[in-house]
Amino acid sequence: MKQQGTHTGGSAGAVTVRGLVKHYGETKALAGVDLDVREGTVMGVLGPNGAGKTTLVRILSTLLAPTAGQATVAGYDVVRQPRQLRRVIGLTGQYASVDEKLPGWENLYLIGRLLDLSRKEARARADELLERFSLTDAARRPAGTYSGGMRRRLDLAASMIGRPAVLFLDEPTTGLDPRTRNEVWDEVKRLVGEGVTVLLTTQYMEEAEQLASELTVMDRGKVIARGGIEELKARVGGRTLRIRPADPLRLRPLAAALDELGITGLAPVTVDAERAALLVPVLSDEQLTAVVGAVTAQDVTLASISTELPSLDEVFLSLTGHRAGEPLDTEPAGSAEHREEVAA
């Protein structure tokens, strides 16, 4: 049997994309995307519905042919070597893709046989993954009787049958309750710890912060930003200085004094009464120094002072002009995409 997940093809990264374009008539779902994913890391791809995230994943997993550009995954070209590539990747889409009429065990066994595992190997792999994803008790029940969280775990287990080197997760926790979402996150972290490379598309900022080591932000078919989470936060340019006076009664007089001096940026000073703190927006190191000097001049004893970068949600809003959950009318429905599948 051919070993899976071992080919590197001399590629510097697990996923390399250059100038990737996908058109649907006049609609440009992808408009020249470049992307690099390092081996053994999680690349988070953020963007609203219609940004091109799912189109990108379907091209990289050989379900769609690009209009132009090049892409390799685990060293294989997505257009010229689709058969070889499919043996070293796994894919979990937004919706469970298992056969709901078949029991969970049979779903996994069937996929193992389709991947050329022997009967013995397919049985062992199905048993192993059902235990790993806490589905052993439901192994003989039809998948259609599973809860949403159980079906999502079964779908993730199915994507792992072939021990993929690269795993594509397209909004894998959409619609899941917080507990099940955390279970999926834990499993993804474990897979990465075993050396699997993950490309994760998501609209959940918390999910990106939990899992991704690097981020790519897409909007209207283009990459508009990339980098580490803290790097992207720093690029927005705004920081918040959190000041806690030892005497909470000094909060409002201190806020008024800072506003009167006019040395802060972005927004007025705000009072966080619940935490007995002032939130002071600053745009530069010079402003930060000026604010600290002004506080010192007020002869206020401080309990603490700290700086905070913007939240990832604020970064996304700043970069795109809209929030991640807001849809765009740029990415066609899945049915149109599936009609253009790459020939096997």
Side-chain angles (χ1 to χ4, degrees), residues 204-288:
Y204 297 127
M205 298 299 147
E206 184 184 4
E207 185 162 83
E209 296 213 58
Q210 280 280 334
L211 299 178
S213 50
E214 295 182 271
L215 294 177
T216 293
V217 182
M218 293 185 64
D219 196 31
R220 302 183 187 278
K222 298 180 180 180
V223 173
I224 61 171
R226 58 168 60 87
I229 292 175
E230 297 306 313
E231 179 185 349
L232 289 180
K233 287 181 177 181
R235 281 182 55 182
V236 172
R239 287 171 291 175
T240 298
L241 190 61
R242 182 179 290 274
I243 302 170
R244 290 186 60 242
D247 181 1
L249 295 178
R250 300 298 302 273
L251 276 172
R252 297 191 183 281
L254 184 57
L258 291 175
D259 274 335
E260 185 176 345
L261 290 171
I263 57 176
T264 62
L266 289 180
V269 177
T270 57
V271 176
D272 184 349
E274 183 178 348
R275 295 176 176 82
L278 294 182
L279 304 181
V280 185
V282 292
L283 288 171
S284 65
D285 291 341
E286 290 76 13
Q287 283 183 324
L288 189 150

Side-chain angles (χ1 to χ4, degrees), residues 13-343:
V15 179
T16 303
V17 177
R18 294 292 180 268
L20 206 60
V21 174
K22 181 63 181 178
H23 293 173
Y24 299 95
E26 297 298 318
T27 302
K28 296 181 180 180
L30 297 179
V33 169
D34 292 338
L35 184 70
D36 291 284
V37 185
R38 294 179 294 111
E39 292 183 3
T41 65
V42 179
M43 170 63 78
V45 180
L46 293 173
N49 289 329
K53 304 187 306 296
T54 295
T55 294
L56 175 64
V57 167
R58 286 175 174 165
I59 290 174
L60 294 178
S61 57
T62 77
L63 296 178
L64 281 176
T67 303
Q70 295 180 322
T72 60
V73 177
Y76 293 113
D77 187 280
V78 299
V79 174
R80 294 186 291 105
Q81 300 170 295
R83 283 192 179 92
Q84 298 95 316
L85 192 154
R86 289 169 191 158
R87 290 184 173 273
V88 297
I89 63 172
L91 170 64
T92 296
Q94 297 178 28
Y95 307 100
S97 60
V98 295
D99 189 327
E100 295 192 350
K101 295 182 180 179
L102 291 178
W105 187 91
E106 289 187 26
N107 266 288
L108 300 186
Y109 175 80
L110 176 61
I111 293 171
R113 294 293 288 147
L114 290 172
L115 290 173
D116 295 332
L117 298 184
S118 69
R119 288 183 175 85
K120 180 179 180 181
E121 290 169 328
R123 285 195 294 268
R125 188 66 173 146
D127 290 340
E128 175 189 348
L129 287 170
L130 286 168
E131 181 176 358
R132 179 168 179 167
F133 285 88
S134 303
L135 292 170
T136 302
D137 291 344
R140 302 298 174 178
R141 282 170 40 198
T145 67
Y146 288 12
S147 67
M150 292 171 66
R151 270 185 278 188
R152 174 52 71 202
R153 296 204 304 275
L154 180 63
D155 206 40
L156 190 55
S159 71
M160 297 304 301
I161 286 285
R163 303 182 190 277
V166 179
L167 179 62
F168 296 106
L169 301 178
D170 189 17
E171 301 192 15
T173 61
T174 297
L176 297 184
D177 62 85
R179 177 180 176 181
T180 305
R181 184 176 297 164
N182 286 330
E183 290 175 354
V184 172
W185 291 351
D186 289 342
E187 189 57 39
V188 172
K189 291 174 184 176
R190 180 160 60 168
L191 292 172
V192 175
E194 295 172 358
V196 177
T197 303
V198 176
L199 190 147
L200 165 77
T201 75
T202 183
Q203 295 184 49
Y204 297 127
M205 298 299 147
E206 184 184 4
E207 185 162 83
E209 296 213 58
Q210 280 280 334
L211 299 178
S213 50
E214 295 182 271
L215 294 177
T216 293
V217 182
M218 293 185 64
D219 196 31
R220 302 183 187 278
K222 298 180 180 180
V223 173
I224 61 171
R226 58 168 60 87
I229 292 175
E230 297 306 313
E231 179 185 349
L232 289 180
K233 287 181 177 181
R235 281 182 55 182
V236 172
R239 287 171 291 175
T240 298
L241 190 61
R242 182 179 290 274
I243 302 170
R244 290 186 60 242
D247 181 1
L249 295 178
R250 300 298 302 273
L251 276 172
R252 297 191 183 281
L254 184 57
L258 291 175
D259 274 335
E260 185 176 345
L261 290 171
I263 57 176
T264 62
L266 289 180
V269 177
T270 57
V271 176
D272 184 349
E274 183 178 348
R275 295 176 176 82
L278 294 182
L279 304 181
V280 185
V282 292
L283 288 171
S284 65
D285 291 341
E286 290 76 13
Q287 283 183 324
L288 189 150
T289 301
V291 169
V292 172
V295 171
T296 303
Q298 295 296 314
D299 194 25
V300 175
T301 302
L302 298 181
S304 66
I305 184 168
S306 61
T307 58
E308 301 172 358
L309 289 171
S311 70
L312 193 54
D313 195 37
E314 290 169 332
V315 171
F316 188 88
L317 180 61
S318 173
L319 291 170
T320 67
H322 46 73
R323 298 193 179 277
E326 296 175 357
L328 300 174
D329 296 326
T330 58
E331 190 168 17
S335 58
E337 294 173 343
H338 284 297
R339 287 198 295 270
E340 300 189 40
E341 290 182 2
V342 178

